[in-house]
Amino acid sequence: MKKWLAVLLVVTLMMSILVGCAKPATNEEPAGGEAEAGDKPFRVAYIARAQADSFAAWLANAVSEEADKYDNIVIDVLDGQASDSTQNALIENAITNKYDAIIIQPNNGEAQRPYAEKAVAAGIITITTNARIDGIQGASSVDADPYEQAKVNAVVALEQIPQGANVVVLKGPPGNFHADARRESWEKEFFAKRPDVKIVGEEIANWNKDEAMNYMETWVQANSKIDAIIAMNDNMAAGALEVVKDDSRFDGILSYGVDGTAEAVLLIQEGLMTSTSLQSAYDLAAALLDTANKLLTGVETQIDIDIDCPLINSDNVEQYIEMHKKAGAIR
């Protein structure tokens, strides 16, 4: 009798374990993105365009810091190294490794499109950012409006750039949504309205400071008069300014960018850069993690949002320097 009782107890214990293991999972999550004790956090791959790009590095760091606020999310930051093939391989690896979500900051949206579509097809939450890839069914996006980013500069440049000016233009990579839309905005909002302005140099510098410096060195050798640098991001504007900072022929040269990086706001404070449009990596990171959390927990199934793009110039630069100081980017 005792033997049968012991067997019955063992069977009962095993049944209770099996029932416990078979308990259905729940998507419910405590407020504030905190994971229940024992739950595995969601795994998110953030694929950066290039850590050598000052804005991409700023955004990647901001994403990492923002992720620390979420107990239910663990994020891996991966460097695309400004290479389509590298980024595409990273996306494929993230799919193979079954991440719960993939956030892509494309190097070239059209080159990454089929790989982002693969991620969606694999049932992985996919978010594109800076710049979004439009038209991917089932993907979400967090971005800013690049046309407006350039427009806020172009509108003030109409009055600032002198009559008969010589200008140089530094562009981002072709096929990149932000690069193309910002250049289109300058064309419609400035050059079409100022036919007196002559472009004496225009090149693709791929958001890169060193490439911008190389082009600017060539342009200053060929032109004794350059009145303005029109760059599609701060990194390229800063590179061009580096070339002419000690050349008296270019004292007072105007310079425009986009991003509002720590370097750019310091250049504006010094009177070396004219203006930039803020593309806050802090705001993007906050929106990205909030979006990822809502999608991962099933609160929403599709999210497409843009952040604001205020103009930064000498009138308001101190508040943006303070913003960077609070974040530790300026000491």
Side-chain angles (χ1 to χ4, degrees), residues 29 293-301:
E29 173 197 344
N293 186 51
K294 286 175 179 174
L295 295 171
L296 286 163
T297 57
V299 173
E300 296 191 39
T301 57

Side-chain angles (χ1 to χ4, degrees), residues 51 103 119 145 162 179 188 200 203 222 247 260 265 275 279 284:
Q51 291 286 56
I103 301 172
D145 184 336
K188 291 180 178 177
V200 295
E203 293 290 351
D247 191 331
V265 297
S275 66
Q279 179 172 239
L284 277 173

Side-chain angles (χ1 to χ4, degrees), residues 88 91 95 102 104 109-128 133-139:
N88 296 340
I91 298 168
I95 295 168
I102 302 173
I104 305 166
E110 289 311 302
Q112 277 73 69
R113 178 183 295 277
Y115 295 87
E117 289 171 343
K118 281 185 186 180
V120 173
I124 296 172
I125 288 166
T126 304
I127 306 167
T128 62
I133 307 173
D134 278 327
I136 299 177
Q137 195 70 25

Side-chain angles (χ1 to χ4, degrees), residues 120-260:
V120 173
I124 296 172
I125 288 166
T126 304
I127 306 167
T128 62
T129 188
N130 185 245
R132 68 164 45 94
I133 307 173
D134 278 327
I136 299 177
Q137 195 70 25
S140 292
S141 65
V142 175
D143 202 7
D145 184 336
Y147 190 95
E148 289 300 317
Q149 289 174 331
K151 181 179 177 180
V152 296
N153 282 296
V155 167
V156 296
L158 285 171
E159 300 298 325
Q160 293 171 338
I161 293 178
Q163 287 289 314
N166 287 348
V167 304
V168 294
V169 179
L170 290 158
K171 300 187 292 186
N176 180 283
F177 171 49
H178 277 220
D180 294 345
R182 290 174 194 172
R183 182 62 183 87
E184 178 189 7
S185 182
W186 271 100
E187 189 61 38
K188 291 180 178 177
E189 305 296 339
F190 179 79
F191 290 113
K193 300 172 183 179
R194 289 290 307 275
D196 59 291
V197 174
K198 182 181 180 183
I199 298 174
V200 295
E202 180 166 9
E203 293 290 351
I204 296 165
N206 294 305
W207 309 128
N208 188 279
K209 188 173 186 177
D210 290 338
E211 289 187 40
M213 289 178 69
N214 289 338
Y215 287 125
M216 193 64 178
E217 285 168 357
T218 300
W219 292 332
V220 297
Q221 289 172 14
N223 300 276
S224 58
K225 175 177 174 283
I226 298 176
D227 299 288
I229 299 160
I230 296 171
M232 303 306 120
N233 82 337
D234 290 343
N235 211 29
M236 297 186 293
L241 284 170
E242 183 70 21
V243 173
V244 298
K245 68 178 182 179
D246 296 322
D247 191 331
S248 60
R249 293 178 301 160
F250 303 100
D251 286 348
I253 191 170
L254 301 170
S255 179
Y256 306 89
V258 171
D259 284 337

